[in-house]
Amino acid sequence: MIHVEKLVKEMKGKRIVDNMSFDIVSGESVAIIGPNGAGKTSLMNCLTGKWKASAGLVTVSGEAPWTKDSKGTWTVLGQENVIPLDLKVKELVAFFQDIFPDSLSDEELDRLLQFSQEQKNQLTQKLSGGQRRFLAFVLCLVGKPRVLFLDEPTAGMDTSTRKRFWEIVEELKAQGLTIFYSSHYIEEVEYTADRILMIHNGKLLRDTRPELMRIEEQVKVVTLARNWMEILSPHLYYELEDKGEYVHFKTQNIEEVWEELSIQGCRISDIEIQNKSLLDILFEQTEEEK
């Protein structure tokens, strides 16, 4: 459904998408993740035809994304929440229905939106930011696309609206839609993604699955009373944080850490250990960079 081969995009002499290659089959839900500035939106712009590639090949449903034939099969929800503010919700929905010869029915859209009659009669500017974002997402479905491109689709949504979005994504996957999206929410990726593309500095670092990232490269985060640090070998830990009477640190050698501590009389109740996967760490880094 989506084919990317040795994709390169350069702007102002800088390579912002660097030799990426991957394929996405029909019905897959694929999340792209990475820190801010990693190239997620740049990649999305290339896949949706907003930008033409400097080199390489991109096809969506067998066509270049900027061609008329290709654009009839997919829709995109960009980062910016751009919908008219001076129309009522029901007027905006009806306008989108008129655009497409084969559109979702009123009943289908009501089931997706779950807006009250009062909300449907409101101007869109009266909706909350999260409700407008959700409305924009549902409007992307009116024309029954085969592929969805979503750039940070749930930004600004509250918890209940975000969960409703996840439910709809599961329904769309069951219907065979292909979904390609970026996200800053670890729960969202774990709940809705079949695959993860991890990118950084414009490069594709990893093409994997959420459950695999959860079990690989496990890091332990340890909380320990400060006095025990005096007997712990420095090579066993990193990213030490001073918390007053306690310290936090990370380790990939928890057995050796515990062996050294227990020999000196440390009790299991004196130490707290948390699991951190590569996925956890990546999303923590992304939050810090916001």
Side-chain angles (χ1 to χ4, degrees):
M1 184 60 73
I2 300 173
H3 175 67
V4 178
E5 184 178 344
K6 297 181 179 179
L7 174 64
V8 173
K9 179 61 182 179
E10 295 180 345
M11 296 187 72
K12 298 180 180 179
K14 182 180 179 181
R15 185 168 287 198
I16 55 178
V17 178
D18 191 357
N19 202 35
M20 285 195 197
S21 296
F22 57 86
D23 286 287
I24 298 172
V25 300
S26 179
E28 274 194 305
S29 177
V30 179
I32 50 171
I33 64 174
N36 291 335
K40 300 186 295 293
T41 298
S42 298
L43 174 60
M44 193 82 70
N45 287 341
C46 291
L47 297 190
T48 58
K50 185 175 181 179
W51 294 349
K52 287 194 176 182
S54 302
L57 177 66
V58 176
T59 60
V60 180
S61 301
E63 303 286 343
W66 53 83
T67 64
K68 183 178 180 181
D69 289 340
S70 172
K71 288 184 177 180
T73 65
W74 56 265
T75 189
V76 58
L77 178 65
Q79 273 192 2
E80 300 301 322
N81 203 19
V82 182
I83 60 174
L85 299 179
D86 55 352
L87 290 176
K88 294 180 179 179
V89 171
K90 65 179 183 181
E91 293 172 335
L92 186 58
V93 169
F95 173 74
F96 271 72
Q97 287 175 304
D98 288 342
I99 291 176
F100 299 100
D102 181 23
S103 63
L104 294 178
S105 67
D106 290 339
E107 292 76 15
E108 290 171 314
L109 288 166
D110 281 344
R111 187 187 65 81
L112 291 172
L113 275 174
Q114 297 185 353
F115 277 10
S116 66
Q117 197 62 42
E118 181 182 357
Q119 287 173 315
K120 290 191 291 184
N121 281 312
Q122 284 182 336
L123 294 176
T124 58
Q125 63 182 300
K126 298 293 185 180
L127 299 175
S128 69
Q131 289 172 327
R132 286 199 297 272
R133 186 65 172 169
F134 184 68
L135 173 60
F137 164 64
V138 172
L139 291 175
C140 288
L141 307 178
V142 173
K144 303 180 181 179
R146 294 167 55 197
V147 184
L148 286 175
F149 293 100
L150 310 171
D151 199 355
E152 302 291 344
T154 62
M157 291 184 189
D158 60 25
T159 301
S160 61
T161 307
R162 185 174 295 120
K163 286 183 177 178
R164 178 61 187 144
F165 167 83
W166 296 352
E167 291 170 356
I168 293 175
V169 167
E170 287 300 298
E171 293 177 13
L172 297 175
K173 287 165 60 177
Q175 295 167 16
L177 267 73
T178 305
I179 303 170
F180 187 82
Y181 72 97
S182 63
S183 179
H184 278 310
Y185 299 103
I186 186 171
E187 298 91 350
E188 188 162 280
V189 170
E190 291 183 316
Y191 192 89
T192 60
D194 300 316
R195 280 168 61 197
I196 292 173
L197 303 182
M198 189 171 75
I199 66 175
H200 186 59
N201 291 331
K203 295 179 180 290
L204 177 59
L205 300 184
R206 187 168 302 203
D207 183 345
T208 185
R209 306 179 73 85
E211 63 271 19
L212 295 179
M213 290 190 76
R214 268 295 180 199
I215 62 175
E216 67 184 6
E217 298 186 33
Q218 282 281 352
V219 173
K220 305 295 184 182
V221 179
V222 177
T223 302
L224 190 66
R226 174 193 292 278
N227 58 295
W228 290 110
M229 292 304 297
E230 298 175 2
I231 57 105
L232 199 58
S233 301
H235 73 276
L236 294 178
Y237 59 87
Y238 59 99
E239 293 188 20
L240 181 68
E241 294 182 53
D242 187 346
K243 298 294 182 179
E245 295 183 10
Y246 294 88
V247 294
H248 293 330
F249 61 83
K250 293 179 182 176
T251 182
Q252 291 177 297
N253 302 284
I254 190 62
E255 290 82 6
E256 294 178 57
V257 168
W258 175 241
E259 183 178 358
E260 285 197 0
L261 291 171
S262 60
I263 287 173
Q264 298 298 321
C266 182
R267 299 170 302 174
I268 193 68
S269 57
D270 294 329
I271 186 171
E272 179 182 320
I273 303 171
Q274 293 178 299
N275 290 326
K276 291 288 182 179
S277 70
L278 182 61
L279 195 57
D280 289 306
I281 293 168
L282 177 66
F283 274 85
E284 286 174 359
Q285 291 170 344
T286 302
E287 283 296 315
E288 289 170 1
E289 292 177 7
K290 281 186 179 180

